[in-house]
């Protein structure tokens, strides 16, 4: 099931806050996203099976989250996130497939209502910013995907494109369209410049589960305790029957190949840990 695969992929990435778009989920279906690691789900349900956005908060998140606004048509969720003495706005959006200037104008008005708080805007904008770098395919498709909407957000809210700022000349995509035989970067994390100094990295995960890639942002905000660097076996693998079968077979092959060392358990186990 795609829902399970998405949650597993997020936990593998170590997600603390996850922003989901185009879930097509109702209010009750969104609540089913609560799992062993998801503590709360803040959402804007889909309208007639279209749209739908949700923000998943990890149970161990060391801060407070307040819902400030959510649209009734599954397009946006605005949160106030407070960590230690630092507060910021997190706006998650799913933009219409057909460009709507009113939609982007409303985003600016909504965010401008909190001028003292830095902003992170994350979501599927359904547009590319730079057609030469952010889109492949024929000129017609590039024209369809290109619009001034993103630049309007950057200028009006004084934001920076986090991924592009770290990879100014790199060509990479977050969406693939089989219908048009093309790829594009339409998933963004835009942010206030004063937060950009806290960015550790921004990466695009491989496009595997859907036709979109996850955009993964790592922040180092002063005052937040760092997670332990102690390695732990990924808990999601315990329930993966294919992985268990694979591990058992690999153990048997290794033990058979190294049977001469079974009488020296310390040496055998030390070598086994290095191999596995």
């Amino acid at each position: 099931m795609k829902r399970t695969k998405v949650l597993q992929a997020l936990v593998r990435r170590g997600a603390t806050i996850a922003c989901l778009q185009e879930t097509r989920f109702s209010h009750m279906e969104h609540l089913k996203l609560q799992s062993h690691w998801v503590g709360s789900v803040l959402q804007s349900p889909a309208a007639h099976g279209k749209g739908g956005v949700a923000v998943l908060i990890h149970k161990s998140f060391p801060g407070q989250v307040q819902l400030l606004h959510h649209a009734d048509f599954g397009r946006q969720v605005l949160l106030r996130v407070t960590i230690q003495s630092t507060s910021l706005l997190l706006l998650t959006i799913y933009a219409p497939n057909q460009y709507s200037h009113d939609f982007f104008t409303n985003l600016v008005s909504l965010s401008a209502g909190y001028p003292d708080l830095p902003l992170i805007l994350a979501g599927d904008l359904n547009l590319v910013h730079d057609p030469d770098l952010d889109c492949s395919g024929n000129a017609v498709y590039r024209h369809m995907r290109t619009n001034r909407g993103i630049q309007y957000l950057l200028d009006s809210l004084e934001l920076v494109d986090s991924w592009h700022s770290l990879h100014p000349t790199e060509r990479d995509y977050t969406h693939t369209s089989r219908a048009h035989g093309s790829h594009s970067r339409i998933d963004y994390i835009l942010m206030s410049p004063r937060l950009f100094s806290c960015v550790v990295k921004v990466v695009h995960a491989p496009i595997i589960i859907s036709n979109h890639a996850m955009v993964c942002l790592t922040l180092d905000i002063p005052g937040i305790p760092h997670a332990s660097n102690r390695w732990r076996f990924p808990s999601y693998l315990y329930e993966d029957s294919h992985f268990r079968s694979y591990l058992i077979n690999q153990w048997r092959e290794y033990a058979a190949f190294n049977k001469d060392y079974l009488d020296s358990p310390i040496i055998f186990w030390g070598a086994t840990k290095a191999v596995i």
Side-chain angles (χ1 to χ4, degrees):
M1 190 180 220
K2 184 179 288 189
R3 179 189 298 145
T4 302
K5 291 181 178 179
V6 168
L7 291 173
Q8 290 177 343
L10 289 171
V11 78
R12 284 197 294 269
R13 287 276 168 183
T16 303
I17 297 178
C19 303
L20 308 182
Q21 300 86 38
E22 199 180 4
T23 63
R24 301 181 184 177
F25 285 169
S26 66
H27 174 79
M28 294 304 298
E29 288 172 324
H30 272 139
L31 295 181
K32 294 178 182 178
L33 292 169
Q34 286 188 287
S35 67
H36 65 282
W37 67 269
V38 179
S40 57
V41 179
L42 300 108
Q43 54 163 304
S44 176
H48 308 295
K50 296 182 179 180
V53 298
V55 181
L56 312 184
I57 310 296
H58 199 289
K59 290 179 179 178
S60 66
F61 176 66
Q64 294 80 43
V65 179
Q66 177 188 2
L67 177 63
L68 298 178
H69 172 82
H70 68 92
D72 295 331
F73 43 88
R75 292 289 181 184
Q76 55 193 257
V77 170
L78 179 65
L79 308 176
R80 178 185 181 124
V81 180
T82 302
I83 309 171
Q84 300 287 2
S85 59
T86 300
S87 292
L88 58 90
L89 294 177
L90 175 59
L91 176 58
T92 301
I93 69 168
Y94 171 56
N97 285 320
Q98 299 298 322
Y99 176 73
S100 167
H101 185 67
D102 288 343
F103 176 81
F104 285 89
T105 301
N106 289 337
L107 292 180
V108 171
S109 299
L110 180 63
S111 304
Y114 305 88
D116 297 331
L117 296 178
L119 171 67
I120 295 178
L121 188 155
D124 178 355
L125 272 64
N126 269 313
L127 296 170
V128 300
H129 186 206
D130 184 337
D132 295 326
L133 279 178
D134 299 333
C135 194
S136 71
N138 58 53
V140 174
Y141 180 76
R142 290 201 300 272
H143 176 72
M144 288 169 55
R145 282 299 191 188
T146 305
N147 201 286
R148 293 190 297 272
I150 296 177
Q151 193 61 50
Y152 172 71
L153 290 177
L154 295 175
D155 293 342
S156 300
L157 296 173
E158 299 182 355
L159 304 177
V160 296
D161 178 349
S162 61
W163 186 88
H164 178 71
S165 296
L166 295 177
H167 312 86
T169 61
E170 188 172 338
R171 186 188 298 272
D172 198 13
Y173 308 115
T174 65
H175 176 260
T176 180
S177 171
R178 295 183 179 87
H180 295 92
S182 61
H183 308 277
S184 54
R185 186 170 76 95
I186 61 175
D187 303 277
Y188 292 82
I189 298 179
L190 311 179
M191 63 197 319
S192 299
R194 53 178 154 155
L195 286 175
F196 190 71
S197 61
C198 301
V199 173
V200 176
K201 63 180 178 180
V202 186
V203 299
H204 295 159
I207 299 177
I208 297 176
I209 300 174
S210 70
N211 57 352
H212 286 261
M214 287 190 291
V215 184
C216 305
L217 168 68
T218 303
L219 293 176
D220 184 6
I221 298 177
I224 300 177
H226 291 276
S228 171
N229 291 324
R230 183 179 179 183
W231 184 85
R232 293 184 178 181
F233 188 82
S235 59
Y236 67 90
L237 291 177
Y238 297 149
E239 302 174 0
D240 190 328
S241 59
H242 296 292
F243 177 80
R244 290 202 304 268
S245 297
Y246 170 79
L247 186 61
I248 290 171
N249 291 332
Q250 292 296 308
W251 173 266
R252 287 172 177 168
E253 289 181 12
Y254 180 81
F257 187 77
N258 295 277
K259 60 183 179 181
D260 294 340
Y261 300 97
L262 290 175
D263 293 335
S264 303
I266 296 178
I267 296 176
F268 179 80
W269 178 236
T272 301
K273 289 190 290 184
V275 172
I276 293 180

